[in-house]
Amino acid sequence: MKKLNRQLIKAINWALSGLMASAGFTGCVEYGTPYAEFIVSGKITDTEHQELKGIRVVVPRVDHHQRATDNYLPHQHIITDKVCDTVYTKENGNFEYTYTGFPTNDSINVILQFEEVAETPRFESDSAKITFFSSDLRKGDGWYKGVAKKEIKIQLKKKKG
């Protein structure tokens, strides 16, 4: 009797496993969150094209824009990620900032602020908004949706007076 019960349980397990596999349930489950890299690089000069070293590049926020689809209706079209990151320009005026985050189905705006770090700044502060579209992403695989790069040039104006 015990042998018959064991065989019956084994047969039921095989049948249930077969049904679950045919319904799309498998033993291999992938956990994680999609992510991508958005890289902004650039050069900061003055209006006379002199490279500016030590300019602070602040990223106060990144705005994620969601587009409605047949399967998804966002409760808000813009989701703001307050990142508060900072990088500085090198000797040659170059900088590079990488934001790693959740890729949206539409676009991402990286907000940048440029300011001189000095007791008496010689240059006006400036800002820029860099837009990445989901179609800009390259070399993605699995959860990693890829990398997108943009290059910018910023000219800071001298303060008057």
Side-chain angles (χ1 to χ4, degrees):
M1 186 72 178
K2 270 188 169 182
K3 190 174 183 181
L4 183 62
N5 281 342
R6 219 176 287 157
Q7 287 177 341
L8 182 61
I9 290 172
K10 203 177 210 183
I12 290 172
N13 282 342
W14 275 100
L16 288 174
S17 294
L19 282 171
M20 289 177 69
S22 66
F25 295 99
T26 61
C28 181
V29 177
E30 190 175 350
Y31 293 99
T33 300
Y35 70 100
E37 293 175 287
F38 302 92
I39 301 172
V40 179
S41 62
K43 181 182 276 299
I44 300 178
T45 63
D46 63 13
T47 53
E48 295 157 5
H49 305 288
Q50 295 296 313
E51 300 161 341
L52 298 177
K53 171 191 172 194
I55 298 296
R56 181 170 40 204
V57 181
V58 179
V59 183
R61 71 179 201 275
V62 175
D63 295 332
H64 298 255
H65 297 264
Q66 291 284 68
R67 180 182 62 227
T69 65
D70 292 340
N71 300 327
Y72 175 70
L73 185 61
H75 68 283
Q76 58 188 114
H77 293 282
I78 300 176
I79 300 164
T80 298
D81 183 8
K82 294 181 178 161
V83 292
C84 299
D85 283 339
T86 302
V87 295
Y88 292 87
T89 57
K90 298 178 181 151
E91 292 281 337
N92 57 5
N94 290 341
F95 73 91
E96 183 173 286
Y97 173 73
T98 302
Y99 172 74
T100 302
F102 189 81
T104 62
N105 67 358
D106 188 14
S107 62
I108 287 180
N109 291 328
V110 178
I111 311 302
L112 302 168
Q113 296 172 341
F114 310 97
E115 47 198 38
E116 183 180 18
V117 183
E119 210 167 292
T120 53
R122 299 170 296 152
F123 298 98
E124 298 282 339
S125 296
D126 201 354
S127 63
K129 175 174 75 172
I130 312 304
T131 301
F132 292 94
F133 294 97
S134 57
S135 59
D136 293 336
L137 294 170
R138 302 284 180 258
K139 300 181 182 175
D141 184 34
W143 286 118
Y144 178 63
K145 298 303 178 188
V147 62
K149 296 179 182 181
K150 299 266 175 125
E151 192 169 315
I152 62 172
K153 292 184 180 178
I154 301 292
Q155 285 189 339
L156 294 182
K157 297 176 186 164
K158 287 192 177 181
K159 285 191 170 192
K160 295 177 181 162

